[in-house]
């Protein structure tokens, strides 16, 4: 399935889930999503992490509804904690089975997003591993001067902004020197069209989801 | 810097810059994720878990006000936050696909503070306004999304205050300090 269609589907369902008051629907999304990830042969280790990471927020949601909820608070507790898992699985469906490159080129070719947005973010995303290292460097460098940088210290953001400025400057200059022109029409070596069956599948899944939601399951 | 007119003409440099700020803020947040989980865990035992969430929300949202204060582009707060949410989902954050939608609402919330004065000023007053609009818009979203509608009223007030305090500090005071550092250094006066 085309990655932009997949993202659209995942976002629409996520958005709708915020208003659905049914534990069964959440569990259905979780089970179906998990089976999809298993069919797609996502590593078990990754799937386990997907389940383990949110344990604390899920427990926290559950207990706070138990203590502070009104009305049918047991239902709310299960509803909202299962919703977190549904979101996580939906996120996993997108991030484990698609690549950013695919998504961005589909957005450019099929959705006519201006190429500067596509290549600007693509360039920035490729800096992501360096962002992590630089953050460590900034913190260590400060430690060597006996300063501990916290998230509430302006310096840490100041340094991050300095780097962002420099890298975005370098990136745009490098692209321009390689002949990139912002507003020109571009041709594509790798053509990425959305096949018709993608739309059929999209409408079917979304339609079935509406059908399930309208059943008003508990 | 205040006299520079806001516009919507993004160059590729602005876009890469905004995206990088989003990624940096995401990484900064992720390095604190552990302390976030400890805070949540501690408060969970007494049923106050969401308070931890609201106390840190301002930090979540910091890419938005930074993006708009530094680039003075219309829509840059929405762009920065949505990208931030996307980065978070891809890096495997604990809020999954919801992060993009929450990012969008956070960006819109912050952006409104500047929209209300027609993007004419980018100073203290607008930061203050954007903290208020940011709190209100994200709270409305949480009301549905995180089920705040089902809490009792006094807990709801507590959550609202925690969120307002957090957003006022991180997206108001801290962003103002950072902006002062940047202006003093003079690095932002790019062609």
């Amino acid at each position: 399935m085309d990655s932009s269609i997949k993202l659209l589907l995942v976002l629409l369902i996520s958005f709708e889930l915020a208003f659905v008051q049914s534990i069964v629907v959440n569990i259905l999304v979780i089970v179906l999503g998990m089976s999809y990830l298993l069919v797609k042969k996502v590593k078990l280790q990754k799937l386990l992490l997907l389940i383990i990471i949110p344990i604390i927020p899920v427990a926290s949601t559950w207990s706070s509804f138990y203590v502070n909820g009104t009305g049918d608070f047991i239902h709310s507790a299960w509803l909202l904690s299962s919703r977190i898992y549904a979101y996580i699985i939906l996120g996993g469906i997108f991030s484990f089975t698609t690549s950013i490159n695919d998504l961005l080129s589909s957005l450019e070719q099929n959705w006519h997003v201006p190429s500067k947005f596509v290549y600007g973010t693509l360039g920035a995303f490729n800096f992501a591993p360096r962002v992590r290292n630089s953050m460590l460097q900034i913190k260590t460098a400060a430690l060597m001067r006996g300063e501990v940088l916290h998230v509430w210290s302006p310096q840490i953001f100041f340094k991050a902004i300095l780097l962002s400025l420099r890298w975005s400057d370098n990136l745009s200059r490098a692209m321009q020197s390689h002949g990139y022109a912002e507003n020109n029409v571009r041709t594509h070596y790798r053509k990425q069209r959305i096949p018709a069956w993608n739309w059929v599948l999209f409408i079917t899944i979304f339609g079935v989801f509406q059908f399930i939601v309208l059943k008003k399951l508990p | 810097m205040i006299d520079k007119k806001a516009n919507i003409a993004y160059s590729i440099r602005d876009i890469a810059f905004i995206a990088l700020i989003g990624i940096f803020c995401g990484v900064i947040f992720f390095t604190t994720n552990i302390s976030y989980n400890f805070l949540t865990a501690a408060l969970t035992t007494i049923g106050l878990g969401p308070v931890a969430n609201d106390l840190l929300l301002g930090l979540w949202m910091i890419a938005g006000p930074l993006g708009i204060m530094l680039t003075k582009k219309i829509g840059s707060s929405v762009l920065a936050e949505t990208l931030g949410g996307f980065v978070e989902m891809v890096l495997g954050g604990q809020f999954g696909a919801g992060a993009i939608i929450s990012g969008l609402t956070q960006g819109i919330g912050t952006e409104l503070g500047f929209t209300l004065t027609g993007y004419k000023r980018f100073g203290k007053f607008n930061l203050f306004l954007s903290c208020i609009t940011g709190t209100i818009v994200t709270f409305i979203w949480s009301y549905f999304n995180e089920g705040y509608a089902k809490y009792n009223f006094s807990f709801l007030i507590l959550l609202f205050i925690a969120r307002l305090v957090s957003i006022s500090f991180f997206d108001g005071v801290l962003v103002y300090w950072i902006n002062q550092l940047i202006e003093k250094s003079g690095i932002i006066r790019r062609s």
Side-chain angles (χ1 to χ4, degrees):
Chain A
M1 198 174 189
D2 186 85
S3 35
S4 63
I5 303 274
K6 203 183 272 181
L7 182 64
L8 184 67
L9 188 61
V10 160
L11 286 182
L12 280 177
I13 292 182
S14 295
F15 183 76
E16 200 174 343
L17 270 187
F19 301 95
V20 175
Q21 311 293 327
S22 156
I23 302 172
V24 180
V25 171
N26 288 347
I27 292 173
L28 265 175
V29 170
I30 296 168
V31 172
L32 292 175
M34 267 298 190
S35 350
Y36 175 77
L37 288 174
L38 285 171
V39 170
K40 281 278 173 182
K41 296 202 174 87
V42 175
K43 276 195 191 136
L44 271 177
Q45 208 184 351
K46 276 189 178 174
L47 290 183
L48 277 179
L49 270 182
L50 210 59
I51 298 171
I52 295 167
I53 291 174
I55 279 184
I56 293 178
V58 166
S60 120
T61 304
W62 198 93
S63 80
S64 78
F65 278 104
Y66 191 80
V67 176
N68 303 300
T70 51
D72 189 356
F73 59 90
I74 300 284
H75 181 266
S76 312
W78 287 113
L79 174 73
L80 275 306
S81 28
S82 60
R83 189 181 284 170
I84 296 181
Y85 269 117
Y87 281 148
I88 296 277
I89 302 290
L90 285 169
I93 288 179
F94 179 78
S95 50
F96 289 161
T97 62
T98 52
S99 77
I100 293 182
N101 290 13
D102 273 351
L103 173 69
L104 287 173
S105 62
S106 176
L107 285 180
E108 183 191 9
Q109 292 179 37
N110 299 310
W111 300 85
H112 306 290
V113 173
S115 76
K116 54 187 176 183
F117 282 93
V118 170
Y119 294 101
T121 38
L122 186 62
F125 268 108
N126 284 316
F127 275 111
R130 272 180 74 185
V131 168
R132 268 189 197 174
N133 287 340
S134 312
M135 231 44 248
L136 274 178
Q137 266 177 17
I138 291 169
K139 282 190 175 166
T140 323
L143 271 181
M144 286 170 72
R145 293 191 304 273
E147 277 174 52
V148 182
L149 290 184
H150 296 285
V151 278
W152 54 84
S153 24
Q155 281 82 4
I156 195 167
F157 287 96
F158 175 65
K159 284 173 180 165
I161 289 163
L162 278 186
L163 283 178
S164 307
L165 264 180
R166 192 194 305 154
W167 291 350
S168 58
D169 260 0
N170 289 352
L171 186 76
S172 63
R173 268 189 220 149
M175 286 180 67
Q176 276 149 12
S177 64
H178 277 267
Y180 174 78
E182 272 174 28
N183 298 316
N184 285 12
V185 182
R186 296 178 65 82
T187 55
H188 299 281
Y189 172 67
R190 197 167 61 101
K191 294 247 175 2
Q192 210 170 325
R193 288 271 153 255
I194 300 176
W197 68 264
N198 273 198
W199 282 111
V200 174
L201 191 60
F202 171 84
I203 292 167
T204 315
I205 296 177
F206 198 60
V208 170
F209 183 69
Q210 301 314 315
F211 181 72
I212 297 172
V213 167
L214 286 175
K215 283 245 167 195
K216 296 227 179 291
L217 296 162
Chain B
M1 292 305 290
I2 288 168
D3 50 3
K4 190 184 161 190
K5 265 195 115 179
N7 58 58
I8 201 163
Y10 287 87
S11 71
I12 189 156
R13 187 170 62 173
D14 299 321
I15 295 159
F17 178 56
I18 291 170
L20 277 170
I21 290 183
I23 298 175
F24 262 108
C25 291
V27 170
I28 292 173
F29 191 86
F30 259 82
T31 46
T32 52
N33 222 0
I34 301 165
S35 53
Y36 161 79
N37 279 340
F38 273 118
L39 182 62
T40 315
L43 287 172
T44 295
T45 47
I46 45 172
L48 294 178
V51 178
N53 187 32
D54 277 13
L55 276 177
L56 281 168
L57 192 81
L59 185 58
W60 264 132
M61 296 172 53
I62 200 167
L66 278 181
I68 199 163
M69 288 293 279
L70 295 173
T71 59
K72 301 188 170 51
K73 301 269 180 216
I74 296 168
S76 51
S77 166
V78 179
L79 186 63
E81 269 306 315
T82 313
L83 281 175
F86 186 75
V87 170
E88 199 228 317
M89 183 186 82
V90 173
L91 292 181
Q94 56 199 10
F95 301 99
I100 299 185
I101 305 174
S102 302
L104 186 66
T105 58
Q106 292 161 6
I108 292 172
T110 309
E111 183 92 24
L112 274 179
F114 295 88
T115 318
L116 284 178
T117 54
Y119 296 96
K120 286 202 184 77
R121 296 174 62 87
F122 293 88
K124 264 186 220 170
F125 177 66
N126 283 90
L127 268 180
F128 168 75
L129 263 186
S130 78
C131 290
I132 306 282
T133 53
T135 309
I136 294 172
V137 171
T138 57
F139 206 79
I140 292 174
W141 176 237
S142 296
Y143 194 76
F144 297 105
N145 180 39
E146 286 157 59
Y148 280 18
K150 297 194 177 73
Y151 283 128
N152 62 50
F153 191 68
S154 48
F155 192 61
L156 212 56
I157 297 285
L158 176 69
L159 288 172
F160 188 82
I161 292 172
R163 183 169 296 201
L164 187 63
V165 168
S166 166
I167 292 182
S168 306
F169 174 70
F170 286 110
D171 306 326
V173 179
L174 188 60
V175 168
Y176 182 71
W177 284 341
I178 298 166
N179 200 44
Q180 272 190 327
L181 276 178
I182 303 270
E183 295 212 343
K184 241 190 266 169
S185 72
I187 46 163
I188 204 91
R189 298 206 182 94
R190 310 186 290 168
S191 55

